[in-house]
């Protein structure tokens, strides 16, 4: 089956560079580099308390030494079962510093799900919040490896008055911890001793495990390298259209265990020298209040979040001139439920510029990767009429080779199938720095070498008054 080598999307990049130089650094090394370049800028804000890049790097190094003292070594897996809190960031980058692998999971997962994640990853330890101790301890007791249990508390990260308020409200609901069987994160840090090993991490090695949605069966653990995360961060910054995002703020509400929340909402901001406004939990009303109060420059989210936000009352008079960009994962978000056939994309000439970035989903089998036209025909038999197919441009460094059953590859504009090329498959070049390292465990005997990519789409559409809160802003869909 021939493969098309055409790349007509490059004509649509404009001022965006067609290729980038990707440093051969780990995620820790790239963030540490940023921290040394702008030590006094805030790296993140949590519940009103800001931490500078200098202090953030010191926290990471201290956590790395504590983990090393506790026996964690290169290649070991440690589960992070946390909301968007400082300890989650410290542990994520600290594990990478010593060559260990983070296993990111939802803290609201059921006990059986947590046990599954622990067994699939072979985790040596798990870090979670004190309020989740009960189910996490039960899951760890039933796991094959019986991982160490580390417990973090939010109180040490809060300002004094907020700490008092937290203890009087949420703190009262937290179960009492036993004297044995678990270690407080603060105690783990106090036990740090000795020196860290040389920082010789490999950017192509597995850095973190994230989990698929399980739409094709059992959820799969997907190994992502530092190269994956760093490429995503650098590509997103470049595609945003701004030369630098240093000193800007990112409203990091998407969870740290989610690929988009971790890769865009946190790592992209930290690579670019921006400040992550960490939000441990939220609803649409508190999200709107955060916009009014914090005036973030960038807001990452998903289409359903933005659709709900556009329908929220009280934002009509809010001056959003502070907003420089909106990063949306998944489908193009639509004006409202009544006119879902018309995407809310203003025209390019003279109006706001919206860039739509499409994540090419991972497939167990290449023939499941269909062009929108083919998927449209397939969906007709199983559901309501889908929106018109979208066409557009590929993102940087992402190879999406189109296949055709005919003797000749399809030309630009024609439909075809596009498998995401397996990383290191025989006779194939890797599809770019977006390739993942593989699955933690192959599913149903299929190849563990899978890949995913990002495709940037651009499309003209009708101007939409419901987009008025975002008027004049740049939107990047990923």
């Amino acid at each position: 089956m021939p493969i098309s080598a055409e790349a007509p999307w490059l004509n649509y990049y404009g001022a965006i560079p067609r290729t980038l130089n990707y440093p051969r650094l780990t995620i820790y090394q790239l963030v540490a580099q940023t921290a040394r370049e702008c030590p006094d800028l805030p790296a993140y804000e949590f519940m009103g308390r800001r931490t500078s890049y200098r202090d953030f790097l010191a926290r990471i190094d201290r956590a790395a030494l504590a983990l090393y003292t506790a026996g964690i070594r290169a290649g070991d897996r440690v589960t992070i079962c946390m909301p968007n809190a400082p300890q989650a960031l410290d542990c994520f980058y600290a594990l990478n510093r010593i060559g260990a692998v983070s296993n990111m999971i939802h803290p609201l997962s059921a006990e059986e799900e947590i046990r599954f994640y622990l067994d699939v990853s072979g985790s040596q330890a798990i870090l979670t919040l004190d309020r989740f101790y009960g189910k996490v301890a039960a899951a760890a007791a039933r796991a094959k490896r019986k991982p160490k249990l580390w417990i973090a508390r939010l109180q040490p990260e809060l300002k004094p008055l907020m700490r008092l308020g937290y203890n009087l409200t949420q703190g009262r609901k937290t179960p009492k911890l036993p004297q044995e069987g678990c270690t407080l994160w603060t105690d783990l840090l106090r036990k740090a001793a000795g020196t860290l090993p040389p920082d010789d991490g490999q950017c192509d090695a597995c850095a973190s495990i994230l989990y698929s949605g399980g739409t094709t069966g059992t959820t799969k653990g997907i190994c992502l390298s530092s190269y994956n995360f760093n490429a995503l961060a650098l590509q997103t910054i470049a595609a945003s259209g701004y030369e630098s995002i240093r000193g800007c703020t990112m409203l990091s509400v998407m969870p740290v265990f989610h690929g988009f929340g971790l890769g865009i909402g946190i790592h992209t901001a930290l690579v670019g020298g921006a400040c992550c406004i960490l939000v441990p939990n939220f609803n649409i009303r508190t999200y709107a209040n955060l916009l009014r109060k914090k005036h973030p420059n960038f807001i990452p989210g998903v289409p359903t979040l933005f659709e709900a936000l556009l329908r929220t009352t009280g934002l009509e008079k809010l001056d959003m001139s502070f907003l420089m960009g909106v990063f949306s994962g998944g489908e193009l978000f639509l004006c409202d439920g009544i006119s879902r056939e018309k995407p809310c994309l203003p025209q390019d000439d003279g109006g706001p510029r919206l860039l739509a970035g499409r994540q090419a989903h991972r497939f167990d089998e290449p023939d499941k990767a269909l062009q929108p036209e083919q998927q449209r025909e397939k969906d007709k038999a199983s559901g309501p009429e889908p929106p018109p197919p979208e066409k557009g441009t590929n993102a940087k460094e992402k190879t999406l080779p189109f296949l055709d059953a005919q003797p000749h590859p399809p030309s630009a504009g024609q439909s075809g199938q596009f498998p995401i090329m397996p990383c290191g498959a025989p006779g194939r070049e890797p599809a770019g720095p977006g390739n993942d390292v593989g699955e933690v465990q192959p599913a149903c005997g299929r190849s563990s070498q899978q890949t995913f990519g990002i495709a940037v789409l651009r499309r003209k559409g009708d101007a939409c008054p419901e987009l008025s809160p975002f008027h004049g802003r740049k939107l990047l869909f990923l």
Side-chain angles (χ1 to χ4, degrees):
M1 192 176 288
I3 298 178
S4 171
E6 297 180 52
W9 54 84
L10 295 178
N11 298 325
Y12 295 90
Y13 276 13
I16 299 175
R18 297 189 174 192
T19 187
L20 299 174
N21 292 321
Y22 299 98
R24 305 292 293 178
L25 301 175
T26 63
I27 53 178
Y28 165 84
Q29 291 166 351
L30 192 56
V31 168
Q33 177 178 285
T34 301
R36 296 184 185 105
E37 292 173 355
C38 51
D40 296 321
L41 288 179
Y44 63 80
E45 176 184 321
F46 182 71
M47 307 299 285
R49 184 177 181 179
R50 286 195 165 188
T51 298
S52 69
Y53 272 93
R54 178 188 290 106
D55 292 340
F56 180 42
L57 183 58
R59 287 176 60 116
I60 295 172
D61 288 341
R62 184 185 179 193
L65 183 57
L67 292 169
Y68 195 77
T69 304
I72 302 300
R73 296 293 184 265
D76 288 347
R77 277 87 179 273
V78 173
T79 294
I80 299 178
C81 181
M82 291 282 292
N84 290 8
Q87 299 97 324
L89 271 64
D90 294 346
C91 189
F92 174 74
Y93 288 103
L95 288 168
N96 187 253
R97 166 60 181 88
I98 60 176
V101 179
S102 56
N103 183 48
M104 315 299 292
I105 70 170
H106 198 318
L108 297 182
S109 299
E111 177 187 326
E112 183 60 27
E113 292 174 316
I114 296 173
R115 185 201 62 77
F116 169 80
Y117 296 136
L118 291 172
D119 286 345
V120 166
S121 63
S123 290
Q124 306 270 27
I126 179 170
L127 171 67
T128 192
L129 208 58
D130 52 2
R131 70 175 68 171
F132 306 123
Y133 167 78
K135 65 178 180 182
V136 171
R142 295 174 52 225
K144 296 176 182 178
R145 279 183 173 267
K146 305 297 184 293
K148 301 174 184 176
L149 189 54
W150 299 329
I151 305 298
R153 286 174 166 161
L154 293 184
Q155 290 91 325
E157 305 298 335
L158 303 177
K159 292 180 178 180
L161 283 178
M162 189 168 288
R163 187 184 309 150
L164 177 62
Y166 182 88
N167 286 332
L168 293 174
T169 55
Q170 296 297 323
R172 289 184 172 184
K173 303 175 185 177
T174 303
K176 231 178 181 180
L177 299 177
Q179 295 294 325
E180 297 180 352
C182 64
T183 303
L184 288 176
W185 181 251
T186 48
D187 291 340
L188 189 77
L189 295 177
R190 277 194 287 268
K191 294 176 183 178
T195 58
L196 282 169
D199 183 12
D200 55 2
Q202 302 298 312
C203 70
D204 293 321
C206 180
S208 187
I209 301 170
L210 277 73
Y211 289 85
S212 67
T215 54
T216 59
T218 304
T219 183
K220 304 173 187 66
I222 304 165
C223 295
L224 300 175
S225 69
S226 290
Y227 201 35
N228 298 148
F229 282 104
N230 292 342
L232 175 63
L234 296 172
Q235 289 168 4
T236 303
I237 294 170
S240 71
Y242 297 101
E243 185 175 345
S244 172
I245 63 170
R246 188 161 294 185
C248 296
T249 53
M250 178 90 77
L251 188 56
S252 306
V253 298
M254 296 296 291
V256 69
F257 56 82
H258 189 279
F260 194 81
L262 179 59
I264 302 294
I266 293 175
H267 189 60
T268 293
L270 294 175
V271 167
C275 175
C276 300
I277 302 174
L278 298 176
V279 182
N281 55 69
F282 74 97
N283 55 46
I284 195 61
R285 190 174 297 279
T286 58
Y287 190 98
N289 290 335
L290 285 167
L291 289 179
R292 295 188 189 95
K293 183 179 179 180
K294 298 298 182 181
H295 289 182
N297 301 125
F298 297 100
I299 53 174
V302 292
T304 51
L305 169 64
F306 292 123
E307 287 186 33
L309 189 63
L310 291 172
R311 292 192 293 267
T312 301
T313 57
L315 289 180
E316 299 84 357
K317 297 181 181 180
L318 178 62
D319 178 8
M320 285 200 178
S321 58
F322 55 82
L323 196 59
M324 297 167 58
V326 177
F327 302 94
S328 177
E331 302 294 329
L332 304 179
F333 67 84
L334 308 175
C335 294
D336 55 45
I338 299 175
S339 58
R340 297 186 69 88
E341 298 82 9
K342 295 184 178 180
C344 299
L345 294 179
Q347 295 187 4
D348 290 338
D349 46 345
R353 183 167 67 91
L354 291 86
L355 293 176
R358 176 62 49 78
Q359 175 171 323
H361 298 283
R362 303 175 69 251
F363 295 91
D364 291 330
E365 298 170 357
D367 61 4
K368 292 183 182 177
L370 303 177
Q371 272 286 71
E373 289 87 348
Q374 293 173 295
Q375 187 64 51
R376 177 180 170 83
E377 293 298 323
K378 180 179 178 181
D379 290 342
K380 280 183 179 179
S382 58
E385 184 74 5
E390 291 121 4
K391 299 177 182 178
T393 60
N394 247 7
K396 298 166 294 303
E397 328 297 349
K398 303 294 182 181
T399 302
L400 294 178
F402 285 81
L403 304 183
D404 193 353
Q406 304 302 320
H408 304 287
S411 301
Q414 294 181 337
S415 63
Q417 297 181 2
F418 61 102
I420 314 302
M421 301 309 297
C423 177
R428 311 287 196 200
E429 289 297 324
N435 284 5
D436 64 40
V437 180
E439 291 178 10
V440 178
Q441 288 184 349
C444 304
R446 298 182 182 123
S447 171
S448 63
Q449 296 296 322
Q450 307 278 341
T451 72
F452 69 90
I454 295 174
V456 171
L457 310 178
R458 177 176 294 173
R459 173 182 176 159
K460 290 186 177 181
D462 297 330
C464 181
E466 285 83 354
L467 265 182
S468 56
F470 302 121
H471 183 73
R473 305 301 100 205
K474 296 179 179 179
L475 283 79
L476 178 64
F477 293 81
L478 290 168

